[in-house]
Amino acid sequence: MADDLILLSDGGGGERMMDLVRREILARFGPADGSGELARLADAARIEPACRSGRSPGAPLAFTTDSYVVQPLEFPGGDIGRLAISGTVNDLACLGARPVALSLALILEEGLERALLGRILDSAAAAAREVGAAVVCGDTKVVERGSADGLFINTSGIGVIETGRRLGAEQIRPGDKVLVSGTVGDHGIAVMSRREGLRFEAAVQSDVAPLWPLAEAILAASPNLRALKDPTRGGLAAALNELAEAAAVRMRIDEAAVPVRPAVAGACEVLGLDVLNVANEGKFVVVAPADEAEAVLRAMRRHPLGREAAVIGEVLEGTARGPRVTLRTRIGGERVLEMPYGEDLPRIC
Amino acid sequence: MADDLILLSDGGGGERMMDLVRREILARFGPADGSGELARLADAARIEPACRSGRSPGAPLAFTTDSYVVQPLEFPGGDIGRLAISGTVNDLACLGARPVALSLALILEEGLERALLGRILDSAAAAAREVGAAVVCGDTKVVERGSADGLFINTSGIGVIETGRRLGAEQIRPGDKVLVSGTVGDHGIAVMSRREGLRFEAAVQSDVAPLWPLAEAILAASPNLRALKDPTRGGLAAALNELAEAAAVRMRIDEAAVPVRPAVAGACEVLGLDVLNVANEGKFVVVAPADEAEAVLRAMRRHPLGREAAVIGEVLEGTARGPRVTLRTRIGGERVLEMPYGEDLPRIC
């Protein structure tokens, strides 16, 4: 009977959500043969608008959308406004696309404080300015008290892939190196701490940031860059599993190499969470050829958004069966890093 | 004190919403001089992505976003799925843009029936196929029971302006003719009737439809077409006032010429509504030069989506003050057709 109704875990970024998306969305909107941009389930779609009149279609574009339902609306280090701009800019950046045009659609609950809305919009505007992206269109709806949770924001975005380069899972090869641009778990723990009023609140700030400038530095450092991915819902574990699955490879990650702030590690212990499943909103997973990994690492560490970047693992040949991602643990063992199933932390973005 | 909190009427598509958008959105996201695509408040933004590498930017694009919060989710003649695709396709069509790529972002309430979701997505997919538009990216969020009203959908869209032509209020000139592509008020009354369980339900169906094929026929018939606009929230009255205001002209509309179904007129009488304020989801307001109006009218009437099209008025010189839109009534008088203030029918789209 559970399958008759939508559950919270259907939106958690894990196995259950992938199943919902495949059964309800791809089955209806993808081409019958399972191909097409939508079926790639990438952070953004690559489109090259055809033009019947024969005018040149220009550089390829990236197009992406995300709705933001985070609770609370303001949290340590950010708010839903900064999150909505950053999340969409970062999805575009994952395709190597400079953000050029953003949309901003608000669903407001009757009774929302205008002062709070004002602070959130100030924050969104500042985030857009940080990366030179213009909000060019929008929409405003108001629903009755009790019909929404204060404020939901949808931002969609168009980016230009100026280099024309193709980034994505399908570029990944055995022997490539896997990097992360900084500490993991900060966003999820910051939101959770505010929500639960936990005592570690002061120590953990969300990492929410628009990352296009960092992506630009990585692109410049790695002419054969394979893939960028932002490990949001489902955390690093979901991002690595999605990449490995789509690329039909395996990955081996070195647990000790993954940067984690002590306060975040402590909070995860208290909450019984695996930090590798916790959401990030200002980080990239980077896959680069082995001989370009050092240059990527240096470029990230030189950048304010990537000071704590690290090489965390490598890409191995795929196998027909068996786990996609394994973790070499601190004590020298090896365990499977599974795709999270449902939802450790609901309403995190 | 009312100004401290968001009210339902802030989302009604009328005067109050324009005020909210100017004060909260344009003040933050528009250029300081009040220019830019966002400030045009058109149905979609026109963008011509610049490209630093010097590759040609190609044909201009249209970009738009809308969130859909209609209640009930299914209504006579349509549902939120068909509405979400149609509304976004129609906003693109208002700029003369063929829809090429759509996004689909779902906010699901925990406990939503999967069978209902399935019907709505079937309907959305069918609407997209009608106009050859591909859904290329999406997002799925689930919020706790009581935090949303079953289902909210955001669709954004990218269209290609293949002709390169500029449509919009700024093209409108005194002497132009104003047309509407069919009967008005059908959508709003269909939703309202289902919501209130009114007895006229059977007789009124929503007009919700993706109109790109009709726009293409109009573009072909009118080489100097001025503007297309879809009269959704706030109805014909809001659409005409927005066009006249942005064009700095006046319009005179002939009330008897505006097509209205008898069942819709009757329902408006019962409900105390002005049919000219009631939402449409499958109609265009068209402004064309006088010498092309006849060709536009014929082209629309030949098309299944425009069989009941009519010339309803004309554009006059603007004045520094005074009403923008006047109505010649059936009994020969003249009255001001005002911009609706707040919201006659909440949650209509």
Side-chain angles (χ1 to χ4, degrees):
Chain A
M1 292 307 288
D3 264 9
D4 295 348
L5 301 178
I6 295 294
L7 306 180
L8 263 186
S9 54
D10 287 321
E15 203 60 75
R16 275 195 64 97
M17 190 176 87
M18 295 305 274
D19 183 63
L20 177 77
V21 167
R22 287 208 178 84
R23 284 166 57 184
E24 303 292 353
I25 309 286
L26 292 188
R28 291 180 170 92
F29 294 94
D33 64 359
S35 70
E37 271 306 301
L38 189 63
R40 293 179 61 232
L41 293 176
D43 297 283
R46 181 182 174 113
I47 58 174
E48 315 206 15
C51 185
R52 291 207 308 192
S53 67
R55 286 179 64 167
S56 157
L61 304 175
F63 181 32
T64 190
T65 191
D66 262 305
S67 294
Y68 298 87
V69 300
V70 66
Q71 274 295 332
L73 300 175
E74 298 178 304
F75 46 80
D79 57 57
I80 192 174
R82 182 172 177 82
L83 182 62
I85 299 292
S86 300
T88 291
V89 165
N90 296 349
D91 281 344
L92 296 175
C94 286
L95 264 70
R98 172 187 302 277
V100 293
L102 303 179
S103 67
L104 183 75
L106 309 174
I107 299 177
L108 310 174
E109 184 187 14
E110 184 189 13
L112 178 71
E113 278 178 46
R114 278 181 80 137
L116 172 59
L117 177 64
R119 290 198 301 277
I120 287 167
L121 293 175
D122 278 342
S123 170
R129 270 195 304 272
E130 275 176 49
V131 291
V135 171
V136 298
C137 57
D139 178 52
T140 304
K141 294 290 192 310
V142 182
V143 298
E144 299 88 346
R145 218 179 270 264
S147 300
D149 239 4
L151 170 62
F152 298 145
I153 301 182
N154 177 283
T155 40
S156 299
I158 299 177
V160 179
I161 305 174
E162 293 171 350
T163 63
R165 284 159 68 177
R166 279 188 186 276
L167 303 183
E170 63 280 9
Q171 311 297 325
I172 295 175
R173 301 284 174 270
D176 290 347
K177 294 293 185 187
V178 181
L179 302 89
V180 66
S181 66
T183 56
V184 302
D186 301 45
H187 174 73
I189 295 302
V191 172
M192 198 66 181
S193 66
R194 167 61 54 91
R195 200 147 68 195
E196 307 296 327
L198 298 179
R199 61 169 165 71
F200 45 82
E201 176 174 336
V204 182
Q205 302 273 312
S206 168
D207 58 347
V208 57
L211 296 179
W212 167 246
L214 180 62
E216 214 172 9
I218 297 169
L219 284 161
S222 177
N224 297 295
L225 182 67
R226 311 299 198 204
L228 294 175
K229 190 161 183 72
D230 60 335
T232 57
R233 274 182 293 177
L236 193 62
L240 294 173
N241 272 284
E242 281 175 33
L243 283 175
E245 164 99 25
V249 296
R250 285 180 302 135
M251 290 180 180
R252 187 163 51 202
I253 304 297
D254 181 2
E255 186 175 26
V258 178
V260 181
R261 286 188 205 291
V264 169
C268 284
E269 213 160 305
V270 171
L271 295 166
L273 297 172
D274 183 342
V275 70
L276 302 182
N277 293 349
V278 178
N280 310 276
E281 292 291 348
K283 296 291 155 33
F284 281 132
V285 172
V286 187
V287 184
D291 59 357
E292 296 178 6
E294 193 54 39
V296 169
L297 183 66
R298 273 200 310 269
M300 288 200 286
R301 287 186 169 172
R302 266 198 306 267
H303 198 282
L305 292 165
R307 288 209 194 291
E308 292 165 285
V311 177
I312 60 169
E314 63 193 330
V315 177
L316 308 174
E317 289 281 354
T319 51
R321 281 178 303 182
R324 287 284 176 203
V325 186
T326 56
L327 199 66
R328 202 151 31 188
T329 64
R330 281 168 207 279
I331 54 167
E334 191 150 345
R335 72 168 172 97
V336 177
L337 183 63
E338 289 194 84
M339 181 74 176
Y341 178 69
E343 157 137 47
D344 275 341
L345 297 174
R347 310 285 299 278
I348 213 71
C349 61
Chain B
M1 291 310 285
D3 263 11
D4 295 347
L5 301 178
I6 294 294
L7 306 180
L8 262 186
S9 53
D10 288 321
E15 203 59 76
R16 275 195 65 97
M17 190 175 87
M18 296 304 273
D19 183 62
L20 178 77
V21 168
R22 287 208 179 85
R23 284 167 56 183
E24 303 293 352
I25 309 287
L26 292 188
R28 292 180 169 92
F29 295 94
D33 63 359
S35 69
E37 271 306 302
L38 188 63
R40 294 180 61 232
L41 294 175
D43 297 283
R46 181 181 174 112
I47 57 175
E48 315 205 18
C51 187
R52 291 208 307 192
S53 67
R55 285 178 66 167
S56 157
L61 304 176
F63 181 33
T64 190
T65 190
D66 262 305
S67 293
Y68 298 87
V69 300
V70 67
Q71 274 295 330
L73 299 175
E74 297 179 303
F75 46 80
D79 57 57
I80 192 173
R82 181 171 178 81
L83 183 62
I85 299 292
S86 299
T88 291
V89 166
N90 296 350
D91 281 345
L92 296 175
C94 287
L95 264 69
R98 173 186 301 278
V100 293
L102 303 178
S103 67
L104 183 76
L106 309 174
I107 299 177
L108 310 174
E109 184 187 13
E110 184 188 14
L112 178 72
E113 278 177 47
R114 278 182 80 136
L116 172 59
L117 177 64
R119 290 198 301 277
I120 287 166
L121 293 175
D122 279 341
S123 171
R129 271 195 303 273
E130 275 176 50
V131 291
V135 171
V136 298
C137 57
D139 178 50
T140 304
K141 295 290 192 310
V142 182
V143 298
E144 300 88 345
R145 219 179 271 263
S147 300
D149 239 3
L151 170 61
F152 298 145
I153 301 182
N154 178 283
T155 40
S156 300
I158 300 176
V160 178
I161 305 174
E162 293 170 351
T163 63
R165 285 160 67 178
R166 278 187 188 276
L167 303 183
E170 62 281 8
Q171 311 297 324
I172 295 175
R173 301 284 174 269
D176 289 347
K177 294 294 185 188
V178 181
L179 301 90
V180 66
S181 66
T183 56
V184 303
D186 301 45
H187 174 73
I189 294 302
V191 172
M192 198 65 181
S193 66
R194 168 60 55 91
R195 199 147 67 193
E196 306 296 327
L198 297 179
R199 61 170 165 68
F200 45 81
E201 176 174 337
V204 182
Q205 302 274 312
S206 168
D207 58 348
V208 58
L211 296 179
W212 166 246
L214 180 62
E216 213 171 11
I218 297 169
L219 283 161
S222 177
N224 297 293
L225 182 68
R226 310 298 200 207
L228 294 175
K229 191 161 182 71
D230 60 335
T232 57
R233 274 182 294 177
L236 194 61
L240 294 173
N241 272 283
E242 280 174 34
L243 282 175
E245 164 99 24
V249 297
R250 285 180 302 135
M251 290 181 178
R252 188 162 52 203
I253 304 297
D254 182 1
E255 185 174 25
V258 178
V260 181
R261 287 187 205 290
V264 169
C268 284
E269 211 160 307
V270 170
L271 295 166
L273 297 173
D274 183 342
V275 71
L276 302 182
N277 294 349
V278 178
N280 310 276
E281 292 291 347
K283 296 292 155 32
F284 282 132
V285 172
V286 187
V287 184
D291 60 357
E292 296 178 6
E294 193 54 38
V296 168
L297 184 65
R298 274 200 310 270
M300 288 201 286
R301 287 186 168 170
R302 267 198 305 268
H303 197 282
L305 292 164
R307 288 209 194 291
E308 291 165 286
V311 177
I312 60 169
E314 63 192 331
V315 177
L316 307 174
E317 288 281 354
T319 50
R321 281 179 303 182
R324 287 284 176 203
V325 185
T326 57
L327 199 67
R328 203 151 31 191
T329 64
R330 282 168 208 281
I331 54 169
E334 190 150 345
R335 72 167 171 98
V336 178
L337 183 61
E338 290 194 85
M339 181 74 177
Y341 177 69
E343 155 138 49
D344 276 341
L345 297 174
R347 311 284 301 276
I348 213 70
C349 62

